[in-house]
Amino acid sequence: ACIKITRFSELYPNYYKKINVDDTISFLNFCSLINIDRVIFLSSDEAFMPHNNFGKQKEEVEKKIFSNISWKKRTIVQVLRFPFLLQSRGSVWHIFYNQAKHNLPLTVADKNSSKHAASFDEFLNAWQQFESHDLPNGKYRLKIGKEISIYKLAQDICQEQNSKSKI
Protein backbone atom coordinates (compact mmCIF):
# COMPACT_ATOMS: atom_id res chain seq x y z
CA ALA A 1 0.00 0.00 0.00
CA CYS A 2 1.83 3.05 -1.19
CA ILE A 3 1.30 6.17 -3.20
CA LYS A 4 4.44 8.01 -4.08
CA ILE A 5 3.98 11.43 -5.62
CA THR A 6 6.06 13.39 -3.12
CA ARG A 7 4.56 16.78 -3.98
CA PHE A 8 1.04 15.53 -3.20
CA SER A 9 2.16 13.88 0.05
CA GLU A 10 3.16 17.37 1.17
CA LEU A 11 -0.21 18.83 0.12
CA TYR A 12 -2.39 16.00 1.48
CA PRO A 13 -0.41 14.53 4.40
CA ASN A 14 -3.35 12.91 6.21
CA TYR A 15 -4.59 11.10 3.11
CA TYR A 16 -1.09 9.88 2.24
CA LYS A 17 -0.43 8.79 5.84
CA LYS A 18 -3.62 6.73 5.85
CA ILE A 19 -2.60 4.89 2.67
CA ASN A 20 1.16 4.70 3.18
CA VAL A 21 1.28 4.00 6.92
CA ASP A 22 -2.05 2.85 8.34
CA ASP A 23 -3.12 0.68 5.40
CA THR A 24 0.36 -0.87 5.13
CA ILE A 25 0.25 -1.93 8.79
CA SER A 26 -3.30 -3.28 8.33
CA PHE A 27 -2.07 -5.28 5.34
CA LEU A 28 0.83 -6.74 7.35
CA ASN A 29 -1.54 -7.69 10.17
CA PHE A 30 -3.81 -9.42 7.64
CA CYS A 31 -0.84 -11.32 6.16
CA SER A 32 -0.05 -12.63 9.61
CA LEU A 33 -3.63 -13.77 10.18
CA ILE A 34 -3.76 -15.78 6.96
CA ASN A 35 -0.29 -17.27 7.53
CA ILE A 36 1.65 -15.59 4.74
CA ASP A 37 5.24 -16.80 5.14
CA ARG A 38 7.12 -13.74 3.89
CA VAL A 39 6.45 -10.07 3.18
CA ILE A 40 8.96 -7.67 1.70
CA PHE A 41 8.15 -4.03 2.45
CA LEU A 42 9.65 -1.80 -0.22
CA SER A 43 10.95 1.21 1.61
CA SER A 44 13.28 3.93 0.41
CA ASP A 45 16.64 5.47 1.18
CA GLU A 46 14.47 8.48 2.04
CA ALA A 47 13.49 6.72 5.29
CA PHE A 48 17.02 7.35 6.55
CA MET A 49 17.04 10.95 7.78
CA PRO A 50 13.81 11.85 5.93
CA HIS A 51 13.39 15.37 4.60
CA ASN A 52 9.81 15.11 3.30
CA ASN A 53 6.50 13.42 4.20
CA PHE A 54 7.17 10.48 1.88
CA GLY A 55 10.41 9.65 3.72
CA LYS A 56 8.81 10.25 7.13
CA GLN A 57 5.98 7.85 6.25
CA LYS A 58 8.42 5.16 5.12
CA GLU A 59 10.36 5.64 8.36
CA GLU A 60 7.15 5.39 10.44
CA VAL A 61 6.15 2.10 8.78
CA GLU A 62 9.64 0.70 9.36
CA LYS A 63 9.42 1.56 13.07
CA LYS A 64 5.93 0.04 13.37
CA ILE A 65 7.05 -3.12 11.58
CA PHE A 66 9.77 -3.81 14.11
CA SER A 67 7.73 -2.78 17.14
CA ASN A 68 4.89 -5.23 16.37
CA ILE A 69 6.09 -8.47 17.92
CA SER A 70 2.90 -10.56 17.54
CA TRP A 71 3.02 -11.21 13.80
CA LYS A 72 6.80 -11.57 13.57
CA LYS A 73 6.56 -15.07 15.01
CA ARG A 74 4.47 -16.25 12.06
CA THR A 75 5.53 -14.05 9.13
CA ILE A 76 9.01 -13.03 8.00
CA VAL A 77 8.92 -9.32 7.28
CA GLN A 78 11.83 -7.68 5.56
CA VAL A 79 12.26 -3.99 4.88
CA LEU A 80 14.10 -3.35 1.64
CA ARG A 81 15.52 0.13 1.09
CA PHE A 82 16.73 1.25 -2.28
CA PRO A 83 17.64 4.56 -3.91
CA PHE A 84 15.60 6.84 -6.11
CA LEU A 85 14.74 5.05 -9.39
CA LEU A 86 15.25 7.34 -12.34
CA GLN A 87 12.33 6.20 -14.47
CA SER A 88 9.82 5.67 -11.65
CA ARG A 89 6.42 7.33 -12.01
CA GLY A 90 6.25 10.79 -10.55
CA SER A 91 10.02 11.20 -10.53
CA VAL A 92 11.88 14.27 -11.68
CA TRP A 93 12.98 12.22 -14.72
CA HIS A 94 9.38 12.11 -15.98
CA ILE A 95 8.83 15.78 -15.24
CA PHE A 96 11.97 16.77 -17.17
CA TYR A 97 11.16 14.33 -19.98
CA ASN A 98 7.67 15.80 -20.51
CA GLN A 99 8.92 19.37 -20.28
CA ALA A 100 11.67 18.67 -22.85
CA LYS A 101 9.27 16.79 -25.13
CA HIS A 102 7.05 19.89 -25.31
CA ASN A 103 9.98 22.35 -25.45
CA LEU A 104 9.00 23.86 -22.10
CA PRO A 105 11.54 25.23 -19.63
CA LEU A 106 12.94 22.51 -17.35
CA THR A 107 12.30 23.35 -13.71
CA VAL A 108 15.56 22.66 -11.91
CA ALA A 109 15.13 24.16 -8.44
CA ASP A 110 18.82 24.07 -7.47
CA LYS A 111 21.60 23.82 -10.04
CA ASN A 112 23.87 22.17 -7.44
CA SER A 113 21.46 19.50 -6.19
CA SER A 114 22.28 15.84 -6.58
CA LYS A 115 20.62 12.57 -5.69
CA HIS A 116 21.66 8.96 -5.31
CA ALA A 117 19.83 7.19 -8.13
CA ALA A 118 19.62 3.86 -9.91
CA SER A 119 18.05 2.57 -13.10
CA PHE A 120 15.17 0.10 -13.24
CA ASP A 121 17.53 -2.51 -14.68
CA GLU A 122 19.88 -2.15 -11.70
CA PHE A 123 16.92 -2.45 -9.35
CA LEU A 124 15.49 -5.55 -11.08
CA ASN A 125 18.84 -7.35 -11.05
CA ALA A 126 19.38 -6.56 -7.36
CA TRP A 127 15.76 -7.49 -6.56
CA GLN A 128 16.15 -10.93 -8.12
CA GLN A 129 19.24 -11.57 -6.02
CA PHE A 130 17.57 -10.33 -2.81
CA GLU A 131 14.28 -12.14 -3.32
CA SER A 132 15.98 -15.47 -3.92
CA HIS A 133 17.73 -15.51 -0.50
CA ASP A 134 16.28 -16.83 2.76
CA LEU A 135 16.93 -13.99 5.19
CA PRO A 136 15.52 -13.29 8.66
CA ASN A 137 13.35 -10.34 9.69
CA GLY A 138 15.31 -7.16 9.24
CA LYS A 139 16.18 -4.06 7.25
CA TYR A 140 18.17 -4.50 4.08
CA ARG A 141 19.50 -2.06 1.51
CA LEU A 142 20.17 -2.59 -2.16
CA LYS A 143 23.61 -1.17 -2.85
CA ILE A 144 22.96 0.07 -6.35
CA GLY A 145 23.12 3.35 -8.22
CA LYS A 146 25.35 6.36 -8.07
CA GLU A 147 25.24 10.06 -7.21
CA ILE A 148 23.85 12.10 -10.10
CA SER A 149 23.57 15.82 -10.74
CA ILE A 150 19.95 16.88 -11.21
CA TYR A 151 21.11 19.68 -13.51
CA LYS A 152 23.11 17.22 -15.67
CA LEU A 153 20.09 14.89 -15.76
CA ALA A 154 18.01 17.79 -17.16
CA GLN A 155 20.72 18.58 -19.73
CA ASP A 156 20.96 14.93 -20.82
CA ILE A 157 17.19 14.62 -21.24
CA CYS A 158 17.09 17.80 -23.35
CA GLN A 159 19.88 16.46 -25.53
CA GLU A 160 18.26 13.01 -25.92
CA GLN A 161 14.94 14.66 -26.90
CA ASN A 162 16.59 17.18 -29.25
CA SER A 163 14.64 19.71 -27.23
CA LYS A 164 14.89 23.49 -27.48
CA SER A 165 13.99 23.74 -23.80
CA LYS A 166 15.96 26.00 -21.49
CA ILE A 167 16.92 24.99 -17.99
Side-chain angles (χ1 to χ4, degrees):
C2 178
I3 48 179
K4 179 194 160 264
I5 302 173
T6 306
R7 179 172 53 106
F8 291 138
S9 73
E10 300 298 321
L11 295 172
Y12 308 105
N14 293 335
Y15 175 72
Y16 271 64
K17 182 185 179 301
K18 182 199 175 307
I19 303 288
N20 290 342
V21 177
D22 302 339
D23 289 354
T24 299
I25 297 302
S26 293
F27 173 75
L28 290 171
N29 287 331
F30 178 74
C31 288
S32 175
L33 291 173
I34 62 170
N35 296 319
I36 298 293
D37 294 330
R38 180 181 184 197
V39 173
I40 301 171
F41 172 69
L42 296 179
S43 190
S44 168
D45 282 351
E46 303 241 359
F48 177 74
M49 296 177 58
H51 63 277
N52 58 36
N53 280 337
F54 177 75
K56 289 174 187 169
Q57 291 164 0
K58 290 289 190 180
E59 178 186 48
E60 186 175 348
V61 171
E62 288 184 11
K63 286 179 180 176
K64 287 184 177 192
I65 283 173
F66 294 108
S67 68
N68 187 343
I69 304 301
S70 64
W71 52 258
K72 288 199 293 191
K73 294 175 185 162
R74 296 182 299 276
T75 303
I76 294 173
V77 179
Q78 299 156 330
V79 170
L80 182 61
R81 289 182 177 174
F82 56 93
F84 168 71
L85 297 179
L86 282 173
Q87 300 94 340
S88 63
R89 285 191 84 186
S91 77
V92 70
W93 186 91
H94 279 285
I95 294 168
F96 291 165
Y97 180 87
N98 287 323
Q99 289 170 334
K101 181 178 175 181
H102 299 290
N103 292 312
L104 298 170
L106 273 67
T107 52
V108 176
D110 179 0
K111 194 173 183 176
N112 298 314
S113 68
S114 64
K115 192 162 188 85
H116 193 85
S119 70
F120 268 137
D121 288 341
E122 285 179 287
F123 173 77
L124 291 175
N125 289 333
W127 167 262
Q128 288 173 340
Q129 291 175 16
F130 177 82
E131 196 274 331
S132 67
H133 288 86
D134 256 350
L135 300 167
N137 287 338
K139 288 183 194 174
Y140 300 90
R141 183 175 183 273
L142 296 181
K143 294 182 180 177
I144 57 174
K146 63 183 180 185
E147 200 69 22
I148 64 163
S149 160
I150 299 299
Y151 187 79
K152 173 113 174 59
L153 175 65
Q155 287 178 317
D156 291 348
I157 290 172
C158 281
Q159 187 175 21
E160 289 166 12
Q161 294 294 312
N162 295 315
S163 177
K164 296 175 184 165
S165 295
K166 303 275 188 237
I167 300 174

